[in-house]
Amino acid sequence: MSKRFYITTAIDYVNGQPHLGHAYEKVVADVIARSRQSLGHEVFFLTGLDEHGQKVQQAAIAEGKTPQQYCDDLAVDWKRFVQTLGLSNNDFIRTSEQRHKAAVQAILGKLHREGHFYKAQYRGFYSTRQETFLTEKDRRPDGTFDPIYEPVNELIEENYYFKMAAHQQWLIDYIEKNPTFIQPDYRRNEVLGFLKNETLEDLCITRPVARLSWGIPVPFDEAYVTYVWFDALVNYFSVPIAHGDPVAVSAFPELGVRPIGPELWPADIHLIGKDILKFHAVYWPIMLKAMGAPLPKQLLVHGWWQKDGQKISKSTGNIIDPIAVIAEWGLDAFRYYVTRELDIGPDGNWTDAGFAARYNAELANGLGNLLNRSVSMLKRYRNGIVPKRSDELGPELAGYVGEVRQLLSENELQRALQAIWKIVNRANQYVDQTAPFKLAKDPAQAARLDEVLYNLVESCRLIAICLWPFLPQTAEKIFAQLGLKEEPNRLSAAQWGGLKEGHQTSDPVALFPRKDQPKAK
Ligand code: ME8
């Protein structure tokens, strides 16, 4: 068996509301996963939920539920969200699952035995209201803490720490030697800058059970649980172990898992947002090195969305509800806007007007109109039967398909969509130039009309295949209208000439009904 292309997303905090940022990241990961599948790879796409921690414990208590029950209830909504987004994920990890906890405990045990941890006393100020430790930087100029933190108490607490500093130079060297490990480059430079200028502090990996019980019990000290990053990051590895991936399993023979599953580790891409870069680019590689496991091939870091130039925030009401947008405009319109509008890396700005403009111009008028004209004219003039093959647009479109293929293999999603729209625009221009509705009026032009109709429907077939990673439902609808029974999920089928003479196409149906009056928000 060959190694699968293994892509992960960040696992979302279970107690948050699914928002645009979550939806964006999951859709981008899905487009990459489907692109690789279309390019001929076997893919494993993982997403899931981050469930432990003090906030979850408190919220559960406030609702009169056990933390597990509270998480189980919320997980139903998150799993529905995954379906709403049309994700092709192969697994969905919840950090409260036994398969994950077993892996975390095995890792903790091994690293403890090998001397990576130590126990130390922490003395500092703690805000019970915010459930956070405060540092000198949090003091106001007069030396007091902001009332938002009150009551603030001095706290002395013993915890386990993971020794970090010993790995610092190794990590710098690794990142320098592997330029594609962190992408885009400016994120890589950010990490290198940080590593070269600051001494890494040891990572606190536990909480006393007395203060937080909703975590994973530490196997070597029952008075502690581990939570947050040591717990969450391991999800990328606990799932391969659970599936019997030979590489992941071989690092932890004590788990007794047979190494007969798909080859997953190392991950090919961890897709994450910019705010969690340090955890993935610093702590996770060091954890893996200590575990004796290879590092993931790439951290692909996306930017953050704003709305109307302002931070997305529940408290100010500046939010986008992806579920509502999908209900109003359709899933593929949402998937199109977020991947076409924002490249992977920079921050993006959502505007309702921008969304409606792209919908109308690019989806309804551009793509929808092309398909509708092509399928309708073939039906009207030739009873929906594909005429003899003609290669008039073939060589030019093959160039664009080649571009799409290349860009998809480089995760250049926005540019791949631009290349697909070169096909859409060229085919629409071809309709205008050849004027098939005029040709149809002149019996002497019948052969020319056959050529034009062939070029149009064949262009639509290529577009559907190229679009499938982005807009799977739309691609399937195009294939259905073309009377094609197979799935449009193989780029190798995007060779000119796939539609055969005499093939019967189906009825035209509008893909993206025009919406002249976007609903005011
Ligand atoms: O950070 N635009 O979970 P989370 C784009 N559980 N992306 C955004 C965004 C925005 N406005 N807001 C958040 C966590 N994100 C941890 C991760 S991984 C082992 C543990 C992204 O629910 C954010 O950058 O706060 C992150 O990648 C993801 O949503 C989940 O965020």
Side-chain angles (χ1 to χ4, degrees):
M1 225 191 310
S2 60
K3 187 185 170 312
R4 300 224 186 151
F5 184 89
Y6 176 30
I7 178 165
T8 67
T9 68
I11 49 171
D12 302 328
Y13 287 126
V14 69
N15 54 329
Q17 279 291 316
H19 59 55
L20 173 63
H22 297 128
Y24 170 66
E25 179 177 285
K26 275 60 192 171
V27 166
V28 167
D30 188 59
V31 175
I32 295 176
R34 287 177 189 265
S35 300
R36 299 301 167 136
Q37 192 189 327
S38 189
L39 284 162
H41 298 276
E42 272 200 285
V43 172
F44 193 93
F45 169 21
L46 176 66
T47 187
L49 286 176
D50 190 353
E51 301 193 346
H52 291 122
Q54 195 124 4
K55 289 213 173 97
V56 172
Q57 182 172 311
Q58 285 167 342
I61 291 168
E63 290 190 18
K65 294 178 181 170
T66 63
Q68 188 66 62
Q69 188 58 52
Y70 172 78
C71 290
D72 289 351
D73 291 348
L74 288 176
V76 173
D77 296 340
W78 282 99
K79 285 189 174 173
R80 197 178 307 124
F81 186 54
V82 159
Q83 279 181 353
T84 303
L85 296 172
L87 303 188
S88 59
N89 56 308
N90 301 84
D91 201 341
F92 186 92
I93 179 74
R94 297 179 52 200
T95 53
S96 64
E97 288 169 342
Q98 185 50 35
R99 58 178 181 159
H100 173 72
K101 292 194 268 190
V104 171
Q105 289 182 325
I107 294 168
L108 282 169
K110 177 170 172 171
L111 300 196
H112 181 62
R113 282 194 302 279
E114 293 177 0
H116 290 282
F117 303 151
Y118 63 93
K119 198 174 181 183
Q121 198 176 66
Y122 173 87
R123 176 188 285 266
F125 289 94
Y126 192 77
S127 155
T128 354
R129 184 183 299 186
Q130 305 281 344
E131 292 294 349
T132 185
F133 287 101
L134 300 172
T135 66
E136 290 306 318
K137 285 188 209 141
D138 297 308
R139 285 188 195 277
R140 296 188 291 190
D142 66 359
T144 62
F145 291 108
D146 193 294
I148 58 160
Y149 294 121
E150 278 168 8
V152 176
N153 301 312
E154 196 174 12
L155 186 101
I156 301 173
E157 188 170 286
E158 285 210 300
N159 270 308
Y160 286 90
Y161 289 81
F162 186 166
K163 298 174 198 166
M164 287 280 144
H167 307 282
Q168 188 154 356
Q169 190 55 46
W170 162 81
L171 186 56
I172 293 172
D173 294 344
Y174 185 87
I175 296 172
E176 285 188 329
K177 274 194 214 112
N178 295 278
T180 56
F181 177 53
I182 304 170
Q183 282 295 311
D185 277 339
Y186 48 90
R187 296 293 174 207
R188 172 172 174 266
N189 294 337
E190 191 181 306
V191 175
L192 280 173
F194 163 78
L195 283 171
K196 286 178 178 173
N197 291 315
E198 287 179 44
T199 305
L200 275 182
E201 284 186 20
D202 294 337
L203 180 68
C204 179
I205 58 163
T206 58
R207 284 286 179 269
V209 175
R211 201 152 72 73
L212 170 74
S213 56
W214 185 233
I216 299 178
V218 169
F220 46 84
D221 191 336
E222 62 185 17
Y224 289 90
V225 293
T226 194
Y227 79 117
V228 187
W229 291 102
F230 201 96
D231 167 11
L233 288 164
V234 169
N235 90 86
Y236 304 134
F237 201 80
S238 61
V239 170
I241 290 183
H243 284 267
D245 162 45
V247 171
V249 162
S250 70
F252 295 93
E254 60 272 36
L255 284 167
V257 181
R258 291 170 64 203
I260 52 172
E263 292 177 31
L264 300 177
W265 196 261
D268 291 85
I269 295 181
H270 289 322
L271 180 70
I272 54 165
K274 61 179 184 174
D275 58 320
I276 53 176
L277 174 59
K278 183 174 163 189
F279 302 102
H280 285 78
V282 177
Y283 300 133
W284 183 225
I286 291 177
M287 283 166 68
L288 285 163
K289 176 176 176 255
M291 283 154 61
L295 266 47
K297 292 190 193 143
Q298 185 168 88
L299 308 176
L300 186 55
V301 188
H302 66 76
W304 268 35
W305 282 92
Q306 296 192 326
K307 182 179 182 237
D308 301 327
Q310 307 284 324
K311 190 174 180 300
I312 291 176
S313 149
K314 221 160 72 172
S315 51
T316 61
N318 196 44
I319 49 164
I320 297 286
D321 176 0
I323 299 172
V325 174
I326 290 168
E328 185 179 349
W329 295 85
L331 171 59
D332 279 359
F334 177 81
R335 289 174 61 112
Y336 178 74
Y337 178 72
V338 293
T339 45
R340 176 61 185 80
E341 181 70 23
L342 183 57
D343 194 11
I344 301 174
D347 288 339
N349 187 31
W350 176 292
T351 65
D352 291 344
F355 186 101
R358 283 202 186 280
Y359 180 93
N360 281 324
E362 293 155 33
L363 295 178
N365 288 348
L367 175 63
N369 197 24
L370 171 67
L371 180 76
N372 204 266
R373 296 204 277 182
S374 306
V375 176
S376 301
M377 288 193 290
L378 187 64
K379 189 171 170 70
R380 192 173 328 131
Y381 305 139
R382 296 290 180 266
N383 290 319
I385 295 171
V386 174
K388 190 160 127 304
R389 170 170 168 171
S390 156
D391 293 351
E392 194 171 347
L393 289 179
E396 186 181 346
L397 267 49
Y400 299 144
V401 171
E403 265 183 58
V404 173
R405 173 187 291 274
Q406 181 63 30
L407 291 164
L408 289 181
S409 71
E410 295 165 356
N411 311 319
E412 292 282 356
L413 307 189
Q414 187 188 47
R415 288 174 57 205
L417 277 177
Q418 287 165 345
I420 298 170
W421 254 256
K422 287 186 197 169
I423 309 179
V424 173
N425 295 336
R426 177 66 185 100
N428 270 325
Q429 180 195 48
Y430 181 74
V431 178
D432 299 339
Q433 286 169 343
T434 57
F437 23 88
K438 283 189 195 150
L439 297 174
K441 289 185 188 138
D442 180 359
Q445 295 285 356
R448 178 62 184 146
L449 180 59
D450 278 346
E451 284 174 6
V452 170
L453 292 173
Y454 186 90
N455 279 278
L456 287 176
V457 283
E458 181 60 359
S459 302
C460 291
R461 192 184 69 86
L462 299 196
I463 290 167
I465 295 170
C466 293
L467 262 185
W468 180 79
F470 297 90
L471 314 183
Q473 292 180 347
T474 300
E476 281 157 22
K477 285 183 195 162
I478 297 175
F479 259 42
Q481 294 187 36
L482 294 176
L484 296 167
K485 305 273 179 291
E486 65 268 30
E487 275 207 69
N489 60 358
R490 288 279 171 259
L491 267 163
S492 57
Q495 303 255 5
W496 189 264
L499 276 174
K500 298 292 175 242
E501 183 178 354
H503 172 80
Q504 177 72 58
T505 59
S506 199
D507 290 338
V509 185
L511 285 180
F512 297 99
R514 258 197 79 93
K515 294 190 182 231
D516 288 324
Q517 307 232 288
K519 221 164 83 180
K521 286 265 154 62

